[in-house]
Amino acid sequence: MKVHEYQAKKIFHAFGIPVPRGIVTQSAEEAQGAARELGGELFAVKAQVHAGGRGKGGGVKLAKSVDEVRTAAEAMIGKPLVTHQTGPEGVIVRTVLVEQGCPFERQFYVGIVLDRAAEAPVVMVSQEGGVEIEKVAREKPAAIVKRHFDPRRGLADAAAAELAEQLGLSGAQAVQAGMIMQALARIYLERDCSLIEINPLVLSKQGEVVAIDAKINLDDNALFRHEELQAMRDRSEEDPREAEAADYGFSYVSLDGDIGCMVNGAGLAMATNDIITHAGGSPANFLDVGGAADPERVTNAFKLLLGDPRVKTVLVNIFGGIVKCDVIANGIVAALQSVPLTVPMVVRLEGTNVDDGRRILRESGHPLIEADDFADAARKAVAAARGELQPTKGGAA
Amino acid sequence: MSILVNEETRLLVQGLGKVGQFYSDLMIEYGTRIVAGTRPGKGGTEYAGIPIFNDAHEARAEVDFNASVVFVPAAAAAAAVREGAEAGAKVIVAITEGIPALDMVRVKTELRERFPDVTVIGPNCPGIISPEACKIGIMPGYIHKRGPVGIISRSGTLTYEGVHQCTVRGIGQSTCIGIGGDPVVGMTFKDLLPLFEQDPETQGVIMIGEIGGSAEEEAAAYIRDSFRKPVVAFVAGKNAPPGKRMGHAGAIIAGGKGTAAEKVRALEEAGVTVVENPAEMGAAMQALL
């Protein structure tokens, strides 16, 4: 799960990381009022969306007066913001953070992620802050300094001091940067983050080390033990179908194609998308309904897929292991009683009691297209999506 | 022969609740020797003739086991893995899905220090099976057949797909391991390949990888330098968009790393036969044996 910058900064503040004073606003008037309240001669107006690359997309503006803050907020709120992460349609900006501006001398990058190969969290710092860190990693990998730490102990004093030195800081500023990194490591561990990032962390003209940006991604698997973080979820930022799928307990990702897929198991679901592409088609989604493909789950999955206007064909690919194929087939038939079939549906069943399962589908009278195996299913789904294959009553296509 | 588990395996079931009981019935039916179970507050009772203890330490005091399987719910599952190791299980198979990533990082760090000889499989995996000898996990036993192919996979049902493709061609399996779909798991490809290299029964290996992380690249480096048996691989998620978690917590292309294309290139350079079509894993293996 992602949280907004202003939410991440609240967490930063609670852990003692210096952030600029700011006020969250939802209209140009509110933004103007916020600027008046903050005072000063420089402000930052920042669109609160989950997508990265806001700066380049026009979602971060500096303003030199209360009126300029109003103008900047007006240009953002209620309008789509397009960045390299949003796709061409962009995301509608609903919330804008107005902050006191923080003129700076230098900018740095500080981030913590899980290094999967080392099986340990790693702090990454760079003097090349304020730019896309992936670009730095590609072009100047030596400019990023990494240090692993023990998740049971946190980031040690000596390690933090060494990293601060790598940023070219000394004296009180190095101490401040080190404390920020240790606080960041504590947030990462105590809040179960999958990523925590300050880009940029700056050395201000007043000589203070300040986090002028904040990014936190959370481990979905650990949300159950963080109620305060669950409350930060912003459904308006989520793809509506992905949000609906999450309510059903499915793993679902929206894709660009026209073949709706329902599969049990994440690996098989990914492979189903691959084999459709291999056969010349294009999947509309990734959908893993999990191991237990019972009637309720199948019904919900059909609602999700058939409610998607882009879907021209549905492909059901189930490897019935412990859950037997006849049980799954009965689930499919029951689901089709309540969700009418509006597009061709190709069904591939394999596994325990497969013959019974196929017989149940054939005898159900629903116009299903039966597939013999994995490859056959993909071929038939692609043909059906192109209108080259029609189901016949009783499923004998 | 086989690797890690066989007829001699004596299994402890950690978390012998409703789910654990369901799969224990199927494991026993397959021939697995389950010698004890744990379920907090139910110590002193039994299920289907299996003695139940409050925890693994109590079980160890009365029963001799050398492996364990974890069905404990996600919030307590990593602690159960540690408890299994402390109580003497040498192979621990964690089936549980949805364990917080940092819980596994902490437990694995601890296991490396205190129990370097303990093998962890999973979590978020179907388990391990040496066909016709021992099944630990939730895979359907009947699709397997004993024979010369080792299978290692990050996925569950896609593993069954690979097994099924072999079995229908008459090619059996020595041992099949689902290593799990999480960012941090126990044994990975590079840890298991040396065991298959040593195993005289295994004549070839099918590796089923997916996007995210670098386990496939690490395996490729090992295969290039030290693995002498034929390997077939498939990498799922070729068409996955970056930044989206494809079901498995570990299956995500992050910061431009972990793409299928990189993994396929590394494996092909190591001499592995990479199939682009997941329906061709079995046929490709058959051609190499």
Side-chain angles (χ1 to χ4, degrees):
Chain A
M1 188 184 99
K2 292 179 177 177
V3 303
H4 287 297
E5 176 194 1
Y6 76 89
Q7 296 167 323
K9 280 181 168 165
K10 264 188 205 157
I11 300 172
F12 277 19
H13 181 70
F15 278 75
I17 298 176
V19 294
R21 279 186 61 214
I23 297 173
V24 179
T25 69
Q26 254 124 21
S27 70
E29 292 72 35
E30 275 181 37
Q32 191 180 25
R36 207 169 280 134
E37 193 182 326
L38 291 168
E41 285 157 7
L42 186 65
F43 305 94
V45 182
K46 308 178 86 178
Q48 299 298 290
V49 296
H50 286 164
R54 287 176 306 169
K56 271 189 200 154
V60 178
K61 293 273 188 240
L62 287 178
K64 293 203 172 92
S65 69
V66 170
D67 290 338
E68 276 186 38
V69 168
R70 186 193 168 99
T71 311
E74 208 150 35
M76 291 178 199
I77 294 174
K79 302 193 175 62
L81 176 66
V82 180
T83 83
H84 69 280
Q85 287 186 5
T86 61
E89 69 285 357
V91 287
I92 302 290
V93 177
R94 292 183 171 80
T95 305
V96 159
L97 174 64
V98 181
E99 282 185 339
Q100 276 183 334
C102 180
F104 52 79
E105 302 277 346
R106 299 174 55 198
Q107 28 185 359
F108 315 106
Y109 171 90
V110 178
I112 303 177
V113 293
L114 178 61
D115 180 343
R116 292 166 61 163
E119 300 183 342
V122 61
V123 186
M124 300 179 291
V125 304
S126 176
Q127 298 200 24
E128 310 269 331
V131 293
E132 216 185 305
I133 196 65
E134 284 87 0
K135 193 164 178 258
V136 179
R138 259 195 322 271
E139 291 166 10
K140 280 198 265 178
I144 301 175
V145 179
K146 297 180 181 180
R147 196 165 174 127
H148 294 94
F149 62 95
D150 188 323
R152 298 166 302 176
R153 294 184 187 95
L155 186 65
D157 295 347
E162 192 195 309
L163 287 165
E165 197 180 308
Q166 292 286 349
L167 292 179
L169 294 170
S170 59
Q173 290 163 354
V175 173
Q176 216 184 350
M179 282 169 59
I180 289 172
M181 286 184 233
Q182 285 182 302
L184 215 56
R186 271 204 308 280
I187 299 171
Y188 179 85
L189 295 173
E190 290 175 21
R191 297 292 181 268
D192 283 295
C193 302
S194 58
L195 168 113
I196 185 162
E197 209 172 60
I198 310 177
N199 190 19
L201 178 74
V202 301
L203 178 61
S204 75
K205 286 215 189 310
Q206 284 80 34
E208 301 286 322
V209 184
V210 183
I212 65 171
D213 197 17
K215 183 172 179 182
I216 292 181
N217 291 356
L218 300 160
D219 176 2
D220 292 335
N221 285 349
L223 277 176
F224 70 89
R225 59 188 175 203
H226 301 291
E227 269 180 45
E228 79 292 357
L229 299 177
Q230 290 166 28
M232 291 185 177
R233 181 171 171 198
D234 181 356
R235 289 184 66 105
S236 71
E237 280 274 340
E238 295 168 21
D239 177 287
R241 249 175 230 99
E242 289 182 12
E244 186 187 347
D247 291 341
Y248 294 141
F250 297 151
S251 290
Y252 177 97
V253 176
S254 228
L255 301 169
D256 303 332
D258 55 13
I259 299 175
C261 303
M262 180 187 121
V263 188
N264 68 332
L268 191 61
M270 268 186 274
T272 301
N273 290 358
D274 292 340
I275 202 169
I276 287 171
T277 311
H278 188 73
S282 181
N285 65 280
F286 163 97
L287 171 58
D288 169 15
V289 291
D294 56 57
E296 193 194 336
R297 290 178 81 80
V298 176
T299 303
N300 289 336
F302 285 173
K303 274 189 210 157
L304 196 64
L305 296 179
L306 295 168
D308 184 344
R310 303 168 309 164
V311 168
K312 290 190 194 145
T313 293
V314 170
L315 170 56
V316 177
N317 185 16
I318 304 278
F319 203 110
I322 298 298
V323 184
K324 299 178 178 68
C325 289
D326 51 336
V327 176
I328 292 160
N330 280 323
I332 292 172
V333 174
L336 289 175
Q337 310 297 342
S338 54
V339 189
L341 202 50
T342 46
V343 297
M345 182 179 284
V346 179
V347 182
R348 183 266 179 148
L349 284 182
E350 192 53 74
T352 317
N353 296 353
V354 62
D355 294 334
D356 290 341
R358 290 183 184 170
R359 183 180 47 74
I360 290 165
L361 292 180
R362 228 173 282 139
E363 290 172 0
S364 73
H366 290 293
L368 302 168
I369 300 169
E370 195 179 317
D372 299 328
D373 59 35
F374 200 5
D376 186 45
R379 273 194 304 272
K380 284 180 173 161
V382 172
R386 287 180 184 152
E388 291 164 7
L389 178 63
Q390 293 294 327
T392 54
K393 197 80 176 167
Chain B
M1 285 294 287
S2 53
I3 67 168
L4 293 169
V5 300
N6 54 39
E7 293 87 346
E8 307 298 316
T9 300
R10 296 177 310 280
L11 186 68
L12 167 75
V13 178
Q14 292 180 262
L16 196 53
K18 201 175 155 220
V19 175
Q21 289 173 3
F22 177 79
Y23 291 111
S24 292
D25 288 344
L26 294 168
M27 285 189 271
I28 292 166
E29 190 185 305
Y30 197 77
T32 305
R33 290 167 64 191
I34 299 180
V35 295
T38 69
R39 194 177 179 189
K42 297 281 177 183
T45 64
E46 55 175 56
Y47 173 76
I50 307 165
I52 297 179
F53 302 88
N54 290 311
D55 61 42
H57 298 286
E58 284 183 21
R60 164 58 58 198
E62 294 190 37
V63 183
D64 184 29
F65 54 85
N66 54 14
S68 89
V69 60
V70 175
F71 290 106
V72 172
V81 171
R82 180 199 296 116
E83 186 184 298
E86 284 169 347
K90 295 300 173 207
V91 176
I92 300 173
V93 183
I95 306 299
T96 310
E97 185 180 346
I99 300 179
L102 284 171
D103 286 7
M104 273 317 289
V105 174
R106 290 186 184 99
V107 166
K108 279 209 76 182
T109 309
E110 197 174 332
L111 258 49
R112 269 200 302 273
E113 289 169 10
R114 294 174 59 202
F115 306 101
D117 61 332
V118 168
T119 295
V120 176
I121 308 281
N124 190 12
C125 78
I128 176 169
I129 181 169
S130 295
E132 293 160 40
C134 179
K135 161 182 144 166
I136 302 178
I138 61 173
M139 67 287 279
Y142 84 98
I143 59 170
H144 300 80
K145 169 187 159 74
R146 189 161 183 159
V149 174
I151 298 184
I152 317 171
S153 170
R154 280 172 67 183
S155 148
T157 43
L158 188 55
T159 317
Y160 310 161
E161 187 70 49
V163 169
H164 181 73
Q165 286 174 22
C166 288
T167 300
V168 295
R169 284 177 172 75
I171 309 168
Q173 305 90 44
S174 51
T175 301
C176 309
I177 309 112
I179 60 175
D182 281 355
V184 173
V185 294
M187 297 290 268
T188 173
F189 298 115
K190 70 167 191 319
D191 307 314
L192 291 162
L193 285 165
L195 304 183
F196 278 129
E197 175 75 15
Q198 299 284 314
D199 176 37
E201 185 182 351
T202 304
Q203 291 167 28
V205 171
I206 295 179
M207 258 180 71
I208 305 174
E210 62 191 31
I211 54 163
S214 56
E216 293 78 6
E217 288 88 335
E218 290 160 29
Y222 170 77
I223 292 167
R224 188 191 55 218
D225 298 338
S226 316
F227 199 72
R228 300 288 150 249
K229 299 175 182 178
V231 181
V232 168
F234 171 72
V235 180
K238 190 179 159 193
N239 305 294
K244 292 279 188 180
R245 166 180 160 167
M246 304 303 274
H248 286 153
I252 183 164
I253 298 168
K257 299 295 281 179
T259 64
E262 284 176 289
K263 293 171 185 298
V264 168
R265 193 182 325 117
L267 289 164
E268 283 182 338
E269 280 170 11
V272 172
T273 302
V274 183
V275 293
E276 204 184 326
N277 183 342
E280 287 168 5
M281 294 184 280
M285 190 77 252
Q286 190 171 33
L288 291 176
L289 288 176

